[in-house]
Amino acid sequence: MALTVEQRFFLAILVIAFPFSAISGDPDILSDFVVPPGTNNTLLDGNFFTYTGIRPLVNSTPPTNFTVTKATMVEFPALNGQSVSYAVLQYPAGSVNPPHTHPRATELLFLTYGILEVGFVDTTNKLFTQRLEAGDMFVFPKGLVHYQFNCADNDSAMAISAFGSAAAGTVSVPSTVFGTNIDDDILAKSFKTDVYTIQKLKEGFPPKA
Ligand code: GLV
Ligand code: MN
């Protein structure tokens, strides 16, 4: 059966678009590594490939709030083009890392000490949860909403997360929804509630100036 002009057009778009939809990580680079503009390559040494920003956390007093310390290409420019990054996650007893997503990366969490309840929701709205012990790993698939909770009464927990992107990005569900001036009526309709309830929720997430 002969294809119509429209069918041929859509087929052509599909063929052109397919390779792009199959690329799921950071773009490949055409050099060994990427240096900031203006860098004199002859002066490059191991310092450029070293990040010491996590050192202060070693043997430090645990924080009193949930704390993320990142090593992305922003903090550690040598990661540009390498499709990897880290975050160190510190959870005081009872603290939560609220539901969020990373639009550009899978996250592989390694619990170094403590216990954590973790979970993510897939695109069919199925919730997957687990209780992790020190030494366990858990993978949060790319782009899916996930959280962690230190359910211990007294003990803090610490995890190291690796990301498959030098710039994974983080979209926090509570602050994206309630801290960005989305119209109260729209939120009330979306959450099947009233404007008063939405305004109460918004009080916890003042929009950034
Ligand atoms: C933990 O899930 C994090 O991305 O900070
Ligand atoms: Mn995460």
Side-chain angles (χ1 to χ4, degrees):
M1 189 186 74
L3 296 179
T4 64
V5 174
E6 286 84 1
Q7 284 170 330
R8 273 190 234 156
F9 177 74
F10 282 118
L11 198 62
I13 301 251
L14 272 182
V15 169
I16 293 166
F18 179 74
F20 294 102
S21 66
I23 295 171
S24 59
D26 291 359
D28 258 345
I29 55 174
L30 298 175
S31 53
D32 296 344
F33 46 83
V34 177
V35 294
T39 303
N40 180 347
N41 272 20
T42 56
L43 298 180
L44 266 188
D45 60 15
N47 288 317
F48 178 67
F49 301 95
T50 306
Y51 183 62
T52 59
I54 305 295
R55 269 191 205 175
L57 302 189
V58 178
N59 298 326
S60 65
T61 313
T64 51
N65 293 316
F66 167 69
T67 302
V68 184
T69 309
K70 294 180 182 172
T72 72
M73 63 177 267
V74 172
E75 297 80 18
F76 185 9
L79 297 187
N80 189 3
Q82 305 300 331
S83 307
V84 288
S85 56
Y86 266 140
V88 177
L89 311 162
Q90 294 173 286
Y91 309 83
S95 66
V96 70
N97 181 7
H100 64 280
T101 73
H102 304 291
R104 295 181 284 277
T106 300
E107 173 175 351
L108 179 60
L109 179 145
F110 173 59
L111 184 59
T112 57
Y113 63 80
I115 50 172
L116 280 185
E117 280 178 14
V118 302
F120 72 83
V121 181
D122 76 5
T123 54
T124 69
N125 255 8
K126 179 170 175 177
L127 172 67
F128 296 84
T129 60
Q130 190 59 273
R131 185 186 167 99
L132 303 180
E133 294 186 12
D136 294 348
M137 286 188 196
F138 192 83
V139 64
F140 300 100
K142 182 173 176 173
L144 299 186
V145 171
H146 60 278
Y147 62 87
Q148 300 103 28
F149 170 53
N150 179 357
C151 50
D153 289 332
N154 300 304
D155 297 327
S156 56
M158 183 163 130
I160 296 172
S161 275
F163 297 88
S165 167
T170 298
V171 178
S172 165
V173 175
S175 57
T176 300
V177 173
F178 297 112
T180 55
N181 288 325
I182 300 177
D183 186 82
D184 291 350
D185 282 324
I186 294 174
L187 289 179
K189 282 197 167 69
S190 306
F191 285 88
K192 301 188 192 329
T193 186
D194 49 67
V195 164
Y196 174 79
T197 305
I198 294 297
Q199 287 174 347
K200 285 305 283 177
L201 285 165
K202 280 187 166 181
E203 283 173 13
F205 304 93
K208 285 196 186 116

